[in-house]
Amino acid sequence: MKTFDYVRPATIADAIAAAAEPGAAYLAAGTNLLDLMKGGITHPNRLVDVTRLPALDRIEHLPDGGIRIGALVRNADLAHDPISPGPIPRLPRRFCPAPRRSFAMPRPSAAICCSGRDVDISTTPPAPATNARRARVAMPAAARTDCTPCSAGATPASHPSVGFLRAACRPRRRRGDRGQNRPARGCGRGPSLPARRHASARKRPRAGVT
Amino acid sequence: MAFPISLTVNGVRRDVELGDPRVTLLDLLRERLHLTGTKKGCDRGQCGACTVLIDGRRINSCLALAVSHDGADILTIEGVARGDQLHPVQAAFIAHDGFQCGFCTPGQIMSAIGLMQEGQAGDDPERIREGMSGNLCRCAAYSGITDAVLDVQKSLVVTDRRRSA
């Protein structure tokens, strides 16, 4: 593993500033990042440890029916959170992108690298034929902890969603659906492959470890 | 550049100065603190042999940077027994043959303790298997492992019922 500079900023603004340098990466739990670094797949010059940033570990219900998931909410917490009775019944399962064998590391659901992008995906309601219980939630690409830091200079003031991602309902893709009813991809690539595999392989709520 | 950190490991405060930010928590435990009960299996977060509890949560210590866990309260396999009195999970692993070679066992036991603290598995074998699925056992002692965890979970459930009654 290549050596790197390690910084632990105390505020979101400091974190964004520290990560503006080329080759910097945010470090939350590090499960993905460290694995990639050990494999020589990614080699950041600087790690910006965001684990101590305040107020990013909350799950909030918004007045418009959305759910705001703080960047430091751990997947295990999200999976166990009773947000499911609401409009997005399967949300916890959709945020279990890790292969099942890797559950032991609770990892943040997103890094604050969401900051420069508009991750507030459209809150398009499910298609008429799709009832609420079938609604699925897209996992934005921005939720990946290994995405590159934002260089757009976003600040908490200019982007209220800095540090957060908002998920939206989208219609379930039915089995055998060849694309005609396929929902438009929300933000980037949609659910990760393990999440998709997971969703199709399991029919009952999982135990909730990630 | 040196990174001084302070950890509480098995109830004992340890001050360590890291010369390199790349040191993982696993290497720190094994090489610096000589707590070799936590095993290095794959070193890539896939086998769970390095599972420890940080602030009550189970994590793969091979994918945790020590410097990032400054101030953390860490429980390793060395800290679960009370003197000669085994932790109930340790005793159950012995009683149910929950291992063969034993290399994965420290991680399995830490994971089982973490699972119980999470309170999500109950006494459902399928959920226990799901909850323990991050810990691989090359000897395939899964049956004994599940039985051991189930045994302890059932006794906990009984205790809880008695308390609430």
Side-chain angles (χ1 to χ4, degrees):
Chain A
M1 193 193 303
K2 200 184 92 171
T3 190
F4 50 82
D5 181 23
Y6 172 86
V7 291
R8 192 193 296 153
T11 66
I12 291 176
D14 288 348
I16 292 171
E21 180 183 298
Y26 290 110
L27 170 73
T31 315
N32 294 118
L33 184 64
L34 250 73
D35 191 21
L36 295 173
M37 287 165 68
K38 283 185 176 186
I41 297 162
T42 184
H43 10 72
N45 298 321
R46 164 185 279 191
L47 289 190
V48 182
D49 186 345
V50 297
T51 50
R52 316 296 166 100
L53 294 183
L56 290 179
D57 56 352
R58 299 176 192 160
I59 300 170
E60 297 170 85
H61 290 260
L62 303 177
D64 64 359
I67 297 171
R68 178 178 289 159
I69 300 161
L72 292 177
V73 172
R74 304 215 163 217
N75 274 1
D77 290 343
L78 187 57
H80 295 154
D81 192 90
I83 53 180
S84 33
I88 312 176
R90 298 189 185 197
L91 181 64
R93 288 177 56 192
R94 305 302 292 167
F95 279 87
C96 299
R100 288 168 61 193
R101 64 176 185 271
S102 299
F103 77 93
M105 171 73 89
R107 72 196 72 186
S109 51
I112 61 166
C113 45
C114 310
S115 57
R117 294 195 225 173
D118 185 5
V119 292
D120 187 5
I121 316 163
S122 70
T123 49
T124 312
T130 312
N131 64 29
R133 289 192 62 78
R134 285 185 164 192
R136 291 290 176 92
V137 174
M139 181 161 177
R144 294 160 56 92
T145 50
D146 55 345
C147 55
T148 52
C150 157
S151 57
T155 64
S158 66
H159 283 256
S161 61
V162 163
F164 297 104
L165 65 90
R166 292 181 61 199
C169 296
R170 65 180 198 164
R172 180 183 189 178
R173 187 182 172 201
R174 284 189 288 274
R175 187 169 293 173
D177 185 343
R178 295 289 176 192
Q180 65 274 26
N181 293 321
R182 194 171 180 171
R185 291 266 159 114
C187 176
R189 288 157 275 184
S192 64
L193 182 61
R196 272 182 271 149
R197 191 189 309 137
H198 204 78
S200 60
R202 301 187 58 78
K203 291 179 179 170
R204 58 172 197 80
R206 50 185 277 127
V209 285
T210 52
Chain B
M1 188 176 173
F3 299 88
I5 64 168
S6 171
L7 302 166
T8 304
V9 183
N10 300 330
V12 180
R13 185 181 157 135
R14 309 293 292 261
D15 296 309
V16 186
E17 189 159 302
L18 300 172
D20 191 319
R22 291 176 292 182
V23 178
T24 62
L25 184 61
L26 175 62
D27 286 339
L28 175 72
L29 290 171
R30 290 182 58 86
E31 310 294 335
R32 295 286 297 273
L33 304 181
H34 307 294
L35 295 170
T36 52
T38 307
K39 301 303 179 198
K40 184 182 275 194
C42 65
D43 206 26
R44 296 293 286 271
Q46 296 178 5
C47 72
C50 63
T51 306
V52 298
L53 301 189
I54 295 189
D55 300 327
R57 291 172 175 274
R58 41 190 178 154
I59 68 130
N60 289 329
S61 59
C62 70
L63 289 183
L65 286 181
V67 65
S68 172
H69 290 281
D70 185 15
D73 188 356
I74 297 167
L75 183 67
T76 72
I77 189 69
E78 287 91 346
V80 299
R82 297 202 172 164
D84 290 337
Q85 190 187 353
L86 293 180
H87 188 281
V89 177
Q90 290 176 305
F93 266 68
I94 294 172
H96 291 273
D97 269 347
F99 52 85
Q100 187 174 308
C101 80
F103 192 82
C104 71
T105 310
Q108 300 277 6
I109 289 172
M110 296 314 295
S111 194
I113 295 171
L115 178 70
M116 289 170 189
Q117 289 181 357
E118 287 160 24
Q120 299 292 334
D123 53 0
D124 176 358
E126 182 57 29
R127 294 186 72 176
I128 287 173
R129 276 192 282 273
E130 171 81 16
M132 295 290 292
S133 62
N135 292 79
L136 304 184
C137 173
R138 289 294 301 271
C139 308
Y142 296 111
S143 170
I145 291 168
T146 308
D147 289 347
V149 181
L150 196 58
D151 192 11
V152 185
Q153 278 284 24
K154 279 182 175 165
S155 64
L156 284 177
V157 171
V158 169
T159 313
D160 287 348
R161 278 187 196 140
R162 276 189 196 145
R163 275 186 196 150
S164 59

